Amino acid sequence: MDLVVFLPLLIILGAFMFFASRRQKKAMQATIDLHNSLKVGDRVHTTSGLQGTIAGITDDNVDLEIAPGVVTTWMKLAVRDRIVDDLDDDDDDTDVDYETHESTATELTESPNHKTDG
């Protein structure tokens, strides 16, 4: 009789564990596919937030150029994702036209911690 009471709970728990492990396997496979598709010249983010261009790849490491002439070596597992440019490939002008974007910044004219005597 006690087993009948716990049977729905066990089924729900089992289904939750099944779907959670499936999602984890998909995420792991996506990461493996990303690491296998990396090539020299790709722009990437690392798990620590660094952006760089791949200058060289070995089985376990990638060399990232983080500034002109500055190349650092990282574990391939540290690469989180590839940076995809949103700019059109037909446009040779890579300068961003800042004048066309409206600014949302506000100018402070007085210190927010300004105290008045009174």
Side-chain angles (χ1 to χ4, degrees), residues 40-106:
V40 174
D42 285 347
R43 297 227 357 111
V44 295
H45 284 125
T46 64
T47 54
S48 62
L50 182 81
Q51 295 181 14
T53 303
I54 297 178
I57 300 176
T58 62
D59 287 339
D60 296 330
N61 297 322
V62 293
D63 294 331
L64 296 180
E65 184 175 17
I66 56 176
V70 180
V71 178
T72 58
T73 302
W74 293 73
M75 289 179 57
K76 199 181 262 189
L77 295 175
V79 175
R80 184 182 70 201
D81 59 6
R82 182 181 288 121
I83 300 172
V84 179
D85 290 333
D86 292 337
L87 300 175
D88 295 334
D89 292 335
D90 299 333
D91 188 12
D92 293 335
D93 185 20
T94 58
D95 293 335
V96 178
D97 187 11
Y98 291 106
E99 294 176 2
T100 61
H101 300 289
E102 185 175 327
S103 175
T104 58
T106 57

Side-chain angles (χ1 to χ4, degrees), residues 25-45:
K25 284 181 186 178
K26 284 183 180 180
M28 192 181 314
Q29 187 61 44
T31 302
I32 291 169
D33 291 343
L34 170 70
H35 291 163
N36 289 336
S37 69
L38 292 175
K39 59 186 181 296
V40 174
D42 285 347
R43 297 227 357 111
V44 295
H45 284 125

